[in-house]
Amino acid sequence: MTTSVHTLASGKGWRVSDVVCTAGVADRPFEEEHRTFCVAVVTNGTFRYRARQGTAMLTPGAILLGNPRTCYECGHEHGAGDRCMSYHFSPAYMEQIVADTPGAKKLAFETPLLPPLPTLARLLAEAEAAREMAEIEAFEELGLRIAGAAVASGLTPAARSPSRRDQKRVAEAVRRIEKDAESPVSLAELASETATSPYHFLRSFRHVAGMTPYQFVLKTRLHRAAVRLRMSDEAISTIAFEAGFNDLSTFNRRFRRVMGEAPGAYRLRRRGDKLPNASVVPACEAKNRPANELCPGGHESASAISSQSVISF
């Protein structure tokens, strides 16, 4: 077996898998069939892809395009192995994406790939990072954005302002997220509540709010966690879980990326303290004062501060 497939996430009409192939020059390519629409991001390796639309060499950053009920073949005559993030969409799901893409008319890919493009670099980096960090909630949005880019390739639709109805829908979604940001919510749920397709809702939300729904949820959760860190002495793990993060390492990583410092260090600044310096030991430490006991000056001992500010990443 030269290919392993691991499902990362799925929903109604879509699925994304981590596909790792170890085939090499000595392995003979064989014919397979796309059962649904396939939009696969190549993240490592190279391979030759032959489909009804043509033959192409795929490299990292390229996007493989496949139409349902069509045969294809992959070969590795130039090197061994590759890895892809492979999205599969049902015809009904893809039809809605096409309908919501200005200028798009055909429900079929006419080329075998979308080549590596500078305009897609940031999006593909987000997708690969989501795979490595197992960000389950991000996959549907990323798939819609990648599929939308594939459908819109070669099109230059004129930009238009969101309608008043779309603005109202986004405002309602924002209030809904703010009301219950700590609970899981899918793009499909938000779109259903506003009576739009997921792709149309995603485009409208980005246009009106300046970010995707998932990014808005994360921003809201991090903001609320930051406020609680400044206002309370609750355990960092308690704040993280109640804000909606499933594990502490994810919270630490995202908090540091946005706030520029770890949650423990951020909390210390609320108290007006300086971060502990290993080269400077307070007198209370020299006297072997217990770690959780206050020094005469009213500050915590160095070991107590360290135990609050050192977070595992």
Side-chain angles (χ1 to χ4, degrees):
M1 185 70 175
T2 60
T3 303
S4 65
V5 180
H6 170 63
T7 299
L8 298 171
S10 63
K12 185 178 180 180
W14 69 278
R15 182 182 79 256
V16 58
S17 303
D18 182 17
V19 181
V20 179
C21 179
T22 59
V25 176
D27 293 296
R28 183 177 179 179
F30 59 93
E31 194 172 77
E32 301 176 78
E33 182 185 36
H34 290 301
R35 297 183 179 180
T36 57
F37 282 98
C38 179
V39 179
V41 178
V42 182
T43 58
N44 297 95
T46 62
F47 60 95
R48 181 183 55 78
Y49 172 59
R50 182 178 64 82
R52 183 176 297 176
Q53 311 99 287
T55 300
M57 178 62 65
L58 278 83
T59 60
I63 299 178
L64 177 153
L65 304 176
N67 294 310
R69 296 181 296 280
T70 61
C71 295
Y72 69 96
E73 185 180 275
C74 294
H76 293 78
E77 61 264 41
H78 300 296
D82 66 84
R83 187 179 185 185
C84 298
M85 186 182 301
S86 183
Y87 277 93
H88 294 268
F89 303 103
S90 69
Y93 198 95
M94 185 61 74
E95 183 177 4
Q96 194 61 66
I97 294 176
V98 172
D100 290 331
T101 302
K105 297 179 180 179
K106 293 186 177 181
L107 186 62
F109 296 122
E110 297 184 341
T111 61
L113 85 161
L114 191 60
L117 298 173
T119 54
L120 294 179
R122 182 173 177 177
L123 172 57
L124 300 190
E126 285 183 50
E128 188 166 350
R131 180 187 67 191
E132 297 306 311
M133 295 189 290
E135 295 182 35
I136 306 301
E137 295 174 329
F139 284 123
E140 183 175 16
E141 279 188 7
L142 289 166
L144 283 168
R145 291 165 65 189
I146 293 169
V151 169
S153 60
L155 301 176
T156 55
R160 64 181 182 86
S161 299
S163 66
R164 291 177 64 88
R165 178 179 296 179
D166 283 338
Q167 292 175 350
K168 180 176 181 294
R169 287 167 173 160
V170 172
E172 290 173 350
V174 166
R175 288 194 293 271
R176 190 254 202 243
I177 291 171
E178 288 184 318
K179 184 178 179 181
D180 195 24
E182 67 278 2
S183 299
V185 59
S186 69
L187 182 65
E189 287 179 73
L190 292 172
S192 177
E193 290 172 7
T194 58
T196 61
S197 73
Y199 186 61
H200 180 84
F201 175 74
L202 174 60
R203 290 177 63 247
S204 299
F205 196 100
R206 290 185 70 195
H207 203 159
V208 174
M211 62 184 72
T212 71
Y214 178 62
Q215 291 167 341
F216 184 81
V217 169
L218 286 178
K219 179 191 76 68
T220 303
R221 290 175 177 176
L222 287 170
H223 173 77
R224 292 180 178 178
V227 171
R228 287 182 66 180
L229 283 168
R230 295 184 69 86
M231 295 180 63
S232 76
D233 290 315
E234 295 175 278
I236 292 174
S237 58
T238 298
I239 292 175
F241 295 139
E242 291 184 359
F245 292 91
N246 293 325
D247 64 86
L248 189 58
S249 61
T250 297
F251 172 69
N252 288 335
R253 184 168 55 246
R254 289 200 168 278
F255 192 96
R256 190 172 191 177
R257 183 187 304 170
V258 173
M259 298 298 185
E261 58 188 345
Y266 179 85
R267 166 174 274 173
L268 282 176
R269 297 191 187 284
R270 183 261 295 185
R271 298 172 176 167
D273 295 333
K274 293 182 179 179
L275 292 176
N277 187 329
S279 63
V280 180
V281 181
C284 58
E285 285 295 303
K287 296 178 181 179
N288 296 318
R289 185 178 298 275
N292 62 351
E293 187 177 334
L294 294 178
C295 296
H299 63 273
E300 292 175 293
S301 62
S303 59
I305 294 175
S306 298
S307 67
Q308 295 180 27
S309 61
V310 176
I311 306 298
S312 175
F313 290 94

